[in-house]
Amino acid sequence: MRYENPLYLAEEAGALDLIAEDRIALGVSRGSPEPAVRGYEAFGYTGSQDPRGSDIAREKFDTFLSAVRGERMVDADPSQFGPGQRLRIEPHSPGLADRIWWGSGTASTAEWAARAGVNLMSSTLVTEATGEAFADIQAHQIAAYRKAWKDAGHARTPRVSVSRSVFPVLSEEDLWFAAPMGDQAQDQIGIIDGLTSTFGKTYAGNPDQLIAELKADAAVQAADTLMLTIPSQLGPEINLRLLQNFAEHVAPALGWEPNTEGPTTGYDV
């Protein structure tokens, strides 16, 4: 978000959602670790007091969210619209605001996302290290988010997603792809973007093993949506097989139903 023009992004998101017939789920965040020194300044966005650009990212997100919600953002030309009129971003997609997700790494940013009224997404790392397992830290963040959502008094039920790297092994070829993930079978602690962070482990094994491990994962059980992270460099055919293996042999035991059964909904807070 630190690199984006919030009004232009709102315009693009609205257009895309209308083209896609209200099927866009848009994840937004400050951004990945900064590869350039204050690189957002090269795009004309100055004034950040944080080398990571977190402050301007949140400020821009507030503007973006207001625009997506259809708020009037600018005074209209009175010669065209009459006096005292204001304009919203066009095109406007009425339901899009309920399908905006903020990528959070800490409990405090999860609470901020709840107060802002957007859904929560949490990846395979959190920018906290408490000594607890990754899944437990993430579950605490989800609990903090839902409490803040309830305290804010929002009318709708929010959505919460977590990401996991999962490799179901059903053949010798699957085992060959999963084998390099063995050194990632445990949570890890490291520094990312100057922050001590906890990285979640990779799940690899036969379906029964994966079902048991994912049922024991506190954050997976707390979330209403599980997003799979798969290595794109393997190519579409292999990735499709990984997804199919998960959908057929693991997901049903976790409570998943195909989208033909209806839209996914969040859990009551």
Side-chain angles (χ1 to χ4, degrees), residues 1-158:
M1 198 71 201
R2 63 196 169 198
Y3 281 89
E4 294 291 342
N5 180 308
L7 297 184
Y8 179 71
L9 183 62
E11 187 179 65
E12 293 289 281
L16 182 60
D17 196 46
L18 291 171
I19 292 170
E21 299 180 337
D22 304 328
R23 291 183 294 124
I24 295 301
L26 184 61
V28 185
S29 73
R30 164 179 63 87
S32 59
E34 180 63 87
V37 177
R38 304 180 74 89
Y40 42 85
E41 293 183 347
F43 286 72
Y45 304 123
T46 60
S48 175
Q49 303 301 308
D50 181 349
R52 294 182 294 267
S54 297
D55 48 357
I56 61 172
R58 290 196 184 188
E59 181 180 344
K60 289 182 180 188
F61 185 69
D62 289 340
T63 301
F64 164 77
L65 200 56
S66 295
V68 166
R69 286 171 172 162
E71 296 180 19
R72 306 289 168 168
M73 304 302 296
V74 65
D75 291 335
D77 181 352
S79 67
Q80 299 183 55
F81 297 93
Q85 300 299 310
R86 289 177 62 81
L87 302 176
R88 71 183 185 186
I89 288 294
E90 297 289 356
H92 171 65
S93 184
L96 178 58
D98 290 346
R99 287 176 275 113
I100 303 296
W101 306 63
W102 180 265
S104 174
T106 67
S108 62
T109 53
E111 291 169 345
W112 173 81
R115 291 190 294 270
V118 294
N119 304 308
L120 179 71
M121 62 170 22
S122 189
S123 72
T124 53
L125 72 90
V126 293
T127 49
E128 294 182 327
T130 65
E132 296 178 289
F134 168 80
D136 293 333
I137 297 174
Q138 202 171 45
H140 292 324
Q141 292 182 6
I142 293 171
Y145 167 82
R146 288 191 170 127
K147 181 180 185 304
W149 184 280
K150 184 175 182 179
D151 292 344
H154 299 303
R156 72 178 181 89
T157 301

Side-chain angles (χ1 to χ4, degrees), residues 164-168 202-204 210 214 226 228-230 242 246 250:
R164 293 292 183 269
S165 296
V166 183
F167 290 82
T202 294
Y203 290 86
L210 296 179
L214 291 169
L226 173 62
L228 298 184
T229 61
I230 52 180
L242 289 172
F246 186 85
V250 180

Side-chain angles (χ1 to χ4, degrees), residues 197-220:
S197 305
T198 306
F199 300 80
K201 66 182 181 180
T202 294
Y203 290 86
N206 64 64
D208 289 341
Q209 175 189 341
L210 296 179
I211 290 167
E213 290 180 346
L214 291 169
K215 282 186 173 181
D217 185 309
V220 169

